[in-house]
């Protein structure tokens, strides 16, 4: 299924080939290569899953997997009332959700506005500029964000010149700014790149729809609202589905680089937690338990969203 | 509706169109400025004198020209080592990943392949179920991949997402190509190398671009697996170390955590800017020419068959 076209009804697979001796003789090269890939996949993707048993042990390097079993103690420790981890989960989830919503709205909005531009040269120029931040690393983006928001930075300069504030705001010393900073950094970096796929979807809309709308007396905004948006709805839905599953994954680099000890209560995410307790303090079991929580919740999110999409008759992943 | 009313409506629409166009163009120009300004300003800082830059207020043009920051960056041993490793991993990593992904996509896109759906599912699962940071790290340690260059190349070689994109592209090629080649006696490897691959150059370019940018920008694996080995540091990790000293200062200075003496050891903004510019120049110089590839790659490839 291509992401730009509607889902076709499932057809029975008539090309299904059975493994006979004749087929084996024909395909043994393919089977041999496939086997190599399966071995590779088992080692690098499936074997780490076996490491999950560490979460149920008090794992020490010395004793390895014969470390004493502790049952669900690590999880109970993570989820004890008022624990750091509960706050960490809240941070991850909230920042993920804010980023998801803000990046969707900006990317779709940008794509629609850009598609309204008739001058090809201008359009191409803006689009080329808009991709640029995507190719910068988070390190560089964070350096830019950090410098722009510093007390001598451009944002404070503008705010002070417009007399919104008397003295520079210390953006990284107050918890209230951090989530917004993360969301805006994300929007700055990815809007142009995320818009590519919507722009392609908009380009493939049948022009006759716009003509018909014009004849019916629809204006610019009405056409955007009643033609463009509904036409790219399948694309929006499938990208939304994919991204909801990734909500908890979307919280590492920015928070790790821009966070500091003063605002750790809002900046720490699950991945940073794993890094700090699991690796720096060598509590492998605790770190693994936190990682399991993240993976399991992500998978539940994907399955649930997929189910909802199926119920409402929209695109679905599987 | 008489002629006059139609004319009036057309005129009204023309004005509202004009207003909309003016607003839209203004907004898009502003968008471009917001995107470009921080990067151009970093460029200005990098060419400014270090002591002078502390005062702030530099906009797009350096106030007091100086090449000292670049000299400082190039004089750092870690920087050259990082550059070497980064170039090496980008070249080697891209070639190996491209070959590995292409071959697997080729197998998965053969309509007659007996284990097609099973193998496909095997890789789709890896997109969603991940063992997590710690089991993965312990595995790498056990396999002696940590403290080595190969940790950058081997583990990330096959990516389910890239395979999905490539396979969709390959499945769109006509089946008759494979059939006629088989009639001529060509084996699968021959078909892959001499028939399918030449037709897949656009999608290969796309995937290569994504993989290469990923390698060029990565720092986390250097920090996690090769922290103790300066010889395997990467450019971005060196940059990260420069920034880290500054990022933690913002909050700590406010809470009174840091003294003036320790603040002096922090890398000046001009040196950080120079290092930033050096690492982004190759990408900024190349990406506009590769635009066509990542646009088609994203749109043709789709996500999932």
């Amino acid at each position: 299924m291509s992401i730009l076209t509607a889902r076709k009804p499932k057809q029975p697979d008539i090309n299904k080939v059975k493994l006979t001796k004749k087929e084996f003789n024909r395909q043994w090269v393919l089977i041999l290569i496939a086997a190599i890939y399966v071995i590779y996949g088992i080692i690098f993707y499936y074997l780490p899953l076996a490491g999950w048993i560490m979460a149920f042990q008090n794992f020490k390097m010395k004793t390895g997997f014969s470390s004493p079993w502790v049952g669900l103690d690590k999880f109970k420790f993570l989820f004890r009332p008022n624990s750091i981890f509960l706050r960490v989960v809240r941070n991850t989830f909230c920042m993920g959700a804010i980023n998801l919503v803000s990046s969707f709205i900006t990317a779709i909005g940008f794509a629609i506005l850009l598609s309204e531009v008739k001058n090809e040269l201008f359009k191409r120029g803006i689009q080329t500029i808009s991709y640029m931040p995507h190719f910068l690393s988070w390190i560089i983006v964070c350096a830019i964000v950090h410098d722009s928001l510093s007390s001598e930075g451009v944002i404070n300069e503008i705010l002070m010149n417009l007399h919104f504030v008397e003295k520079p705001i210390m953006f990284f010393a107050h918890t209230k700014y951090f989530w917004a900073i993360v969301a805006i950094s994300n929007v700055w970096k990815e809007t142009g790149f995320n818009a590519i796929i919507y722009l392609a979807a908009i380009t493939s809309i049948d022009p006759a729809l716009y003509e018909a709308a014009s004849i019916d007396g629809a204006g610019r905004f009405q056409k955007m609202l009643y033609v463009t948006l509904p036409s790219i709805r399948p694309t929006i839905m499938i990208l939304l589905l994919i991204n909801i599953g990734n909500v908890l994954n979307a919280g590492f680099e920015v928070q790790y680089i821009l966070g500091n000890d003063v605002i750790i209560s809002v900046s720490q995410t699950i991945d940073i937690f794993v890094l700090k307790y699991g690796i720096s303090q060598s509590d492998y079991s605790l770190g693994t338990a936190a990682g399991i929580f993240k993976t399991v919740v992500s998978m539940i999110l994907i399955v649930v969203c997929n189910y909802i999409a199926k119920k409402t008759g929209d695109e679905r992943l599987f | 509706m008489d002629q006059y009313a139609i004319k009036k409506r057309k005129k009204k629409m023309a004005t509202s169109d004009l207003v909309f166009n003016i607003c839209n163009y203004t907004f898009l120009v502003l968008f471009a400025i917001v995107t470009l300004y921080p990067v151009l300003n970093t460029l200005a800082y990098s060419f400014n004198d270090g002591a002078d830059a502390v005062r702030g207020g530099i906009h797009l043009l350096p106030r007091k020209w100086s090449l000292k920051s670049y000299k400082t960056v190039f004089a750092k041993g870690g920087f050259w080592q990082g550059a070497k490793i980064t170039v090496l991993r980008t070249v080697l990593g891209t070639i190996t990943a491209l070959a590995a992904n292409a071959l697997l996509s080729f197998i998965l896109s053969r309509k007659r392949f007996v284990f097609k759906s099973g193998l496909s599912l095997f890789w789709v699962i890896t997109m969603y179920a991940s063992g997590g940071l710690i089991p993965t790290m312990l595995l790498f340690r056990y396999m002696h991949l940590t403290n080595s260059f190969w940790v950058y190349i081997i583990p990330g070689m096959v990516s389910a997402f890239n395979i999905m994109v490539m396979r969709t592209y390959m499945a769109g090629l006509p089946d008759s190509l494979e059939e006629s080649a088989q009639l001529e006696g060509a084996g699968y490897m021959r078909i892959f190398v001499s028939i399918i691959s030449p037709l897949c150059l656009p999608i290969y370019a796309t995937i290569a671009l994504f993989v290469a940018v990923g390698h060029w920008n990565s720092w986390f694996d250097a920090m996690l697996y090769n922290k103790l080995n300066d010889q395997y540091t990467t450019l971005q990790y060196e940059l990260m170390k420069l920034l880290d000293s500054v990022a933690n200062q913002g909050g700590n200075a406010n809470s009174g955590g840091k003294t003036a003496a320790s603040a002096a050891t922090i890398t000046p903004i001009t040196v950080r800017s120079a290092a930033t510019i050096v690492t982004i120049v190759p990408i900024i110089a190349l990406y506009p020419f590769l635009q066509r590839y990542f646009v088609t790659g994203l749109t043709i490839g789709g996500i999932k068959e």
Side-chain angles (χ1 to χ4, degrees), chain B residues 28 39 42 59 176 233 235 290 297:
Chain B
L28 290 173
V39 179
T42 308
H59 301 288
S176 52
T233 185
L235 263 187
L290 301 165

Side-chain angles (χ1 to χ4, degrees), chain A residues 98-267:
Chain A
I98 294 171
N99 281 352
L100 180 75
V101 173
S102 58
S103 65
F104 259 81
I105 292 174
T106 51
I108 296 168
F110 178 70
I112 291 179
L113 289 182
L114 199 62
S115 69
E116 293 289 325
V117 172
K118 295 287 170 289
N119 184 331
E120 274 303 314
L121 200 68
F122 180 80
K123 194 173 171 177
R124 270 237 302 281
I126 296 284
Q127 220 189 343
T128 308
I129 292 171
S130 76
Y131 305 141
M132 185 267 294
H134 172 81
F135 294 99
L136 307 182
S137 72
W138 271 115
I139 307 268
I140 289 166
V141 174
C142 290
I144 283 171
V145 169
H146 190 268
D147 290 341
S148 305
L149 293 175
S150 71
S151 47
E152 304 87 31
V154 65
I155 300 294
N156 269 316
E157 215 179 319
I158 292 171
L159 289 177
M160 275 166 49
N161 284 339
L162 294 174
H163 297 286
F164 284 132
V165 290
E166 288 294 305
K167 51 181 187 157
I169 300 174
M170 294 294 169
F171 284 102
F172 294 101
H174 300 285
T175 49
K176 60 183 170 185
Y177 300 119
F178 193 73
W179 290 359
I181 294 171
V182 171
I184 292 169
S185 312
N186 203 50
V187 164
W188 185 79
K189 191 175 190 289
E190 304 293 350
T191 297
F193 198 76
N194 288 342
I196 292 176
I197 206 134
Y198 298 112
L199 267 168
I202 293 171
T203 320
S204 64
I205 298 173
D206 186 358
L209 287 175
Y210 289 103
E211 280 159 30
S214 296
I215 291 165
D216 287 343
R220 240 1 209 291
F221 284 105
Q222 282 168 316
K223 275 190 259 180
M224 284 183 214
L225 213 57
Y226 299 114
V227 181
T228 314
L229 271 179
S231 305
I232 59 172
R233 189 188 145 108
T235 312
I236 297 176
M237 289 313 287
I238 198 154
L239 287 176
L240 201 61
L241 269 180
I242 294 168
N243 285 306
I244 286 175
N246 276 324
V247 154
L248 293 184
N249 281 327
F252 175 67
E253 288 182 271
V254 207
Q255 290 89 339
Y256 184 79
I257 303 166
L258 286 180
N260 63 53
D261 291 344
V262 180
I263 50 172
I264 197 165
S265 64
V266 291
S267 70

Side-chain angles (χ1 to χ4, degrees), chain B residues 272-290:
Chain B
R272 270 191 298 123
S273 302
T276 304
I277 294 299
V278 172
T279 60
I280 61 180
V281 159
I283 294 185
I284 301 261
L286 282 179
Y287 92 89
F289 302 102
L290 301 165

Side-chain angles (χ1 to χ4, degrees), chain A residues 129-133 188, chain B residues 30-40:
Chain A
I129 292 171
S130 76
Y131 305 141
M132 185 267 294
W188 185 79
Chain B
L30 276 176
F31 180 93
I33 292 173
V34 171
T35 308
L36 283 179
Y37 178 82
V39 179
L40 293 176

